[in-house]
Amino acid sequence: MIRIIFLSIFFLYFQYFFAENLAIMTVVPNFLLSIIIFLGITNDEKVTLIFAFILGVIIDLNTPCCFGISTLLFVIIAFILGKVKGSLNKKQLGLYLFLVIVSNLFYFLLRDLIIFVFNVKQGLPIFKIVFLSFYSSLFSFIIILLFLFVSKLHISTKRF
């Protein structure tokens, strides 16, 4: 769990300091959503909900126009993945890809719908939302594979 916390902190910094360099058509992928998806699939539901709430609040603190949206959506995604996790076959890579794409579509569509309704119709066009979802899904899938690899590592510190 310590490795996951350190990787989460790394991706948090990466999201706010370097993710804009990966933007295409002003579309920046959300790396923190992939952490929630990974934890929702692999860890206990309570741990995932706590991570989802904390990471959602961190995102919302840096987005003053729509405070609370990311926290709400992260917690909903973590809750749904926690309920779906029991019926998953963990050996199927395609299932992970499907969950990543669906979670990203859910997050970006609902986030933009809420922003559109409450912020005087300042939403993105639908094709840009779908592109953002698939673009972010690509990075999310890579990050989840990285997390799976790191969680399988057995690192020990022994004194000489």
Side-chain angles (χ1 to χ4, degrees), residues 22-134:
L22 298 172
I24 296 178
M25 298 186 314
T26 67
V27 171
V28 179
N30 189 342
F31 296 111
L32 302 180
L33 181 59
S34 58
I35 297 168
I36 302 305
I37 296 169
F38 170 76
L39 291 174
I41 294 171
T42 59
N43 284 353
D44 184 38
E45 186 177 349
K46 292 177 185 176
V47 172
T48 307
L49 287 172
I50 291 169
F51 261 88
F53 181 78
I54 291 170
L55 291 176
V57 168
I58 291 171
I59 287 177
D60 287 336
L61 287 174
N62 292 308
T63 327
C65 70
C66 47
F67 188 79
I69 294 174
S70 293
T71 304
L72 174 69
L73 294 177
F74 277 9
V75 169
I76 290 171
I77 290 170
F79 180 76
I80 291 172
L81 288 175
K83 296 300 179 193
V84 172
K85 176 178 59 174
S87 62
L88 295 178
N89 183 359
K90 299 204 189 289
K91 305 255 184 215
Q92 291 181 336
L93 197 59
L95 189 59
Y96 281 110
L97 182 61
F98 176 74
L99 285 175
V100 167
I101 292 171
V102 168
S103 298
N104 276 290
L105 276 170
F106 176 80
Y107 174 76
F108 289 110
L109 283 172
L110 247 56
R111 185 193 72 166
D112 201 68
L113 178 68
I114 293 170
I115 290 172
F116 180 77
V117 169
F118 291 110
N119 275 351
V120 195
K121 300 174 181 43
Q122 295 178 357
L124 295 172
I126 191 73
F127 78 90
K128 202 167 188 179
I129 295 170
V130 172
F131 176 74
L132 174 61
S133 299
F134 284 106

